[in-house]
Amino acid sequence: MKVPRHILLLFMMLFAICSSGEAATNESTTKEVDVRKVIFEHVKDSYEWHITTIGEKHISISLPVILYSGNSGWHLFSSSVFHDTEVYNGFTVAHEGDYEGKIVEVDEAGNMSRPALDLSVTKNALAVFVSSLLLVVVMLYVARWYRRHDATKEAPRGFVGIMEMLVTMVLDDVVKPNVGPKYRKYAPYLLTVFFFIFLTNLLGLLPIFPGGANVTGNIAVTLALALCTFIAVNFFGNKEYYKEIFWPDVPTWLKVPVPLMPLIEIFGMFVKPFALTIRLFANILAGHTALLAFVCIIFVTMSVNSYIGSGMTVVSVFFTIFMNCLELLVAFIQAFVFTMLSSVFIGLSQPEHHGKAH
Amino acid sequence: MSFLLPETGLLFWMLLAFGVVFFILYKYAFPAILSSIDERKKFIDDALKNAQEANEKLARIEQQGNALIKAAQEEQARILKEAVSTRDRLLKEAHEKALDESEKIMAETRRLVQQEKENAIREMRTQVAELSLSIAEKVLRKELSGDERQEAFTREMLDEAFEKENSAE
């Protein structure tokens, strides 16, 4: 009996809030909610970290802009300059076109072009620093526990215990079976990748600063991670691995005179990191987009009708909570999958004897 | 499409940050963690193996103890049985010996009695002979006149003597 009464109360409160806020919503109905713009602003990188808006006041963190232009050399300034002026030193933030949201150089004729090098510490770069710092602090804290305790006398509890569980899980379930006998050499890299992605995914799910940035849903970030795996695979692959690429065990006419199989193998070398890049990027981006879309339902329906809006709010909150739980799962799964695929690729670069590994 | 184009700046910062993180963790965090985990795993494995060995040893010792107890019980039973049989044998022997002894004593007694009897008879015979001689002497001395009567008398006397002897026997 208790539960229905609570739900009833909730509904009554919702309607009370809606009727009191009706005047305000009626006023804003003239403003169309541009869902696409809202979502894109959230999931895309930007030159400042917008935290919230109270009334008309934007609260955001200004970030350093570092540019190298072929015409005017190096530039370093804060992104807050664009609050006051549209164009600063010949640079501006494009509002539309191919470079939407990016800093562009404007010449006298009004033509826009990207500066030769844009090393600005953007929102995502700052988020990367935040998760890097957090990861280093966390792992050093965990490592300190192990330095101060005799591992044979006691097992860690609490947070360190959870970390040990994760480390052991990644080692035993992912690294050891996939990489093979030389797993110890690659374990630190794969563990770093796992914890970096997992932590960054989790931070991305936090709604406010320093979380909320769509870091692992940015292709540059996932590409960087995939590049590291590419290096680990190809720079430390053994002879057998390169023999299988350039002189695979197939009928000779497939290799000479047209190197068909080697071409496919070389193509495969680059497809692997590409797959890593896209799968992580697309999964996280989709998760963020879906979450934001569910939140936007509230504003879209509110702008149509406050009663439908209040009803949809319940649905939207329910779905948002559901999506958040799902994204928690995805945060872990994607970190796990990235680590596992990296392990598999590294394992493939360590064939033991010809014909045995395949 | 802008989503699919990686930004050079972010790529640079990401590679830098990730590289630094990896280096720090590789240098300072993971060696301690991994070696501790390995050490503990090895310790636990060893402990488990030791425990199993100890269990086996314990089971073996228990088995040995049980075997010892069983052997002791068998020994006990055997000794008891032996004791009983020894007792029985001793008793029997004693009994037999006693019987032998008594028989021997009886035989000796019988022999002595027989001897005594024979002695007595012999003595009696000599006495009878002496008696008869004295009687004969008396008769001869007293009456040598009436022969017939004397003879009859002598005979009677002798018969009487013999009768006596026989009845005594």
Side-chain angles (χ1 to χ4, degrees):
Chain A
M1 275 309 283
K2 258 185 176 175
V3 179
R5 203 177 292 164
H6 278 235
I7 291 176
L8 207 69
L9 254 169
L10 189 77
F11 270 101
M12 279 166 70
M13 273 167 66
L14 269 171
F15 279 112
I17 291 163
C18 290
S19 46
S20 66
E22 213 166 337
T25 38
N26 278 343
E27 195 183 314
S28 63
T29 38
T30 48
K31 254 198 270 173
E32 273 291 307
V33 179
D34 190 349
V35 178
R36 183 184 171 276
K37 191 163 170 277
V38 168
I39 291 176
F40 273 31
E41 265 175 12
H42 275 85
V43 298
K44 276 177 93 170
D45 206 357
S46 65
Y47 291 94
E48 58 174 17
W49 198 321
H50 180 244
I51 294 171
T52 186
T53 304
I54 301 170
E56 288 295 305
K57 198 170 152 52
H58 295 281
I59 298 173
S60 52
I61 296 170
S62 302
L63 298 166
V65 176
I66 304 163
L67 299 169
Y68 178 77
S69 161
N71 307 323
S72 51
W74 288 98
H75 294 271
L76 170 65
F77 53 90
S78 165
S79 64
S80 60
V81 295
F82 294 116
H83 291 173
D84 307 323
T85 65
E86 187 71 20
V87 181
Y88 176 85
N89 272 357
F91 296 105
T92 186
V93 180
H95 293 295
E96 54 210 357
D98 290 343
Y99 306 132
E100 189 187 343
K102 299 273 184 322
I103 286 181
V104 287
E105 214 173 354
V106 194
D107 59 13
E108 288 85 3
N111 294 323
M112 289 179 180
S113 61
R114 283 285 280 159
L117 200 58
D118 180 0
L119 290 183
S120 308
V121 179
T122 56
K123 177 185 174 186
N124 281 344
L126 182 63
V128 165
F129 296 159
V130 168
S131 34
S132 299
L133 189 72
L134 203 60
L135 182 61
V136 166
V137 168
V138 162
M139 294 316 279
L140 287 183
Y141 170 77
V142 172
R144 198 182 64 159
W145 189 93
Y146 286 102
R147 272 199 211 95
R148 293 195 174 174
H149 293 76
D150 185 355
T152 58
K153 292 222 171 64
E154 58 182 316
R157 292 158 186 283
F159 180 71
V160 182
I162 289 176
M163 294 303 283
E164 175 172 327
M165 188 201 81
L166 286 172
V167 169
T168 325
M169 184 212 70
V170 172
L171 266 186
D172 291 347
D173 295 349
V174 179
V175 181
K176 267 185 213 172
N178 291 322
V179 175
K182 281 183 178 173
Y183 80 94
R184 199 55 200 265
K185 196 169 97 182
Y186 296 96
Y189 168 68
L190 291 166
L191 283 166
T192 311
V193 164
F194 174 79
F195 283 111
F196 186 87
I197 297 175
F198 188 38
L199 181 73
T200 316
N201 285 350
L202 288 181
L203 279 178
L205 289 179
L206 287 180
I208 55 155
F209 181 84
N214 181 31
V215 181
T216 38
N218 188 300
I219 201 160
V221 172
T222 57
L223 180 66
L225 289 167
L227 271 178
C228 294
T229 297
F230 181 81
I231 289 167
V233 169
N234 292 295
F235 285 26
F236 299 100
N238 63 13
K239 252 188 226 162
E240 203 68 43
Y241 169 68
Y242 279 104
K243 188 190 162 283
E244 274 177 22
I245 286 176
F246 294 109
W247 199 254
D249 197 11
V250 289
T252 318
W253 59 269
L254 281 172
K255 299 180 278 194
V256 184
V258 184
L260 203 61
M261 282 311 287
L263 266 179
I264 291 172
E265 291 282 350
I266 289 166
F267 188 64
M269 276 168 68
F270 294 97
V271 164
K272 284 169 189 166
F274 183 71
L276 279 179
T277 310
I278 297 296
R279 103 183 321 281
L280 179 60
F281 149 75
N283 271 294
I284 303 301
L285 179 67
H288 277 253
T289 311
L291 258 176
L292 288 166
F294 278 124
V295 174
C296 282
I297 286 177
I298 300 173
F299 300 99
V300 172
T301 51
M302 270 296 187
S303 69
V304 176
N305 181 306
S306 63
Y307 292 103
I308 298 173
S310 54
M312 281 310 284
T313 304
V314 178
V315 177
S316 161
V317 167
F318 172 76
F319 273 110
T320 310
I321 292 170
F322 171 75
M323 272 310 287
N324 252 317
C325 296
L326 194 70
E327 282 305 301
L328 265 180
L329 203 66
V330 169
F332 177 79
I333 290 171
Q334 287 309 317
F336 189 84
V337 166
F338 194 99
T339 315
M340 194 168 75
L341 286 178
S342 294
S343 305
V344 170
F345 297 154
I346 289 171
L348 287 178
S349 76
Q350 312 279 328
E352 279 168 35
H353 299 292
H354 198 84
K356 199 184 168 188
H358 289 284
Chain B
M1 274 311 281
S2 63
F3 279 117
L4 288 172
L5 291 174
E7 277 295 316
T8 327
L10 187 56
L11 189 65
F12 167 77
W13 290 120
M14 174 62 197
L15 280 174
L16 184 75
F18 186 77
V20 170
V21 168
F22 173 60
F23 178 76
I24 293 173
L25 297 191
Y26 181 78
K27 199 94 180 153
Y28 301 106
F30 283 125
I33 296 174
L34 292 181
S35 65
S36 289
I37 288 176
D38 277 358
E39 207 177 301
R40 171 138 25 84
K41 197 172 273 173
K42 197 169 158 283
F43 180 75
I44 291 171
D45 284 351
D46 285 354
L48 281 176
K49 218 170 76 189
N50 285 346
Q52 204 172 352
E53 272 169 16
N55 266 341
E56 275 168 14
K57 213 181 251 176
L58 198 71
R60 230 174 14 241
I61 289 171
E62 212 175 274
Q63 220 172 5
Q64 279 173 358
N66 283 342
L68 267 175
I69 289 171
K70 209 175 153 198
Q73 276 170 347
E74 274 170 11
E75 184 75 12
Q76 185 196 29
R78 196 181 59 75
I79 289 170
L80 275 175
K81 218 168 108 186
E82 212 167 84
V84 166
S85 69
T86 311
R87 188 193 62 186
D88 287 353
R89 190 168 51 79
L90 280 177
L91 268 177
K92 207 173 148 196
E93 270 176 17
H95 197 71
E96 274 169 8
K97 214 170 180 182
L99 268 179
D100 273 9
E101 203 69 15
S102 61
E103 239 161 61
K104 231 186 252 169
I105 291 168
M106 285 288 278
E108 182 70 18
T109 317
R110 222 173 275 140
R111 196 180 59 78
L112 277 177
V113 167
Q114 191 68 29
Q115 214 176 355
E116 285 299 312
K117 201 173 89 184
E118 277 167 16
N119 282 351
I121 289 170
R122 214 179 291 129
E123 212 169 294
M124 222 157 67
R125 277 207 181 130
T126 41
Q127 273 186 0
V128 166
E130 276 174 16
L131 215 71
S132 50
L133 270 179
S134 65
I135 290 168
E137 208 181 65
K138 270 174 197 168
V139 170
L140 282 175
R141 222 184 280 158
K142 220 180 233 180
E143 299 179 31
L144 281 170
S145 51
D147 284 335
E148 263 173 58
R149 270 183 70 193
Q150 280 170 1
E151 215 175 305
F153 184 70
T154 317
R155 209 164 272 142
E156 201 179 325
M157 283 302 202
L158 275 172
D159 281 346
E160 266 174 31
F162 273 117
E163 226 166 88
K164 236 181 230 172
E165 194 187 349
N166 279 340
S167 67
E169 229 176 14

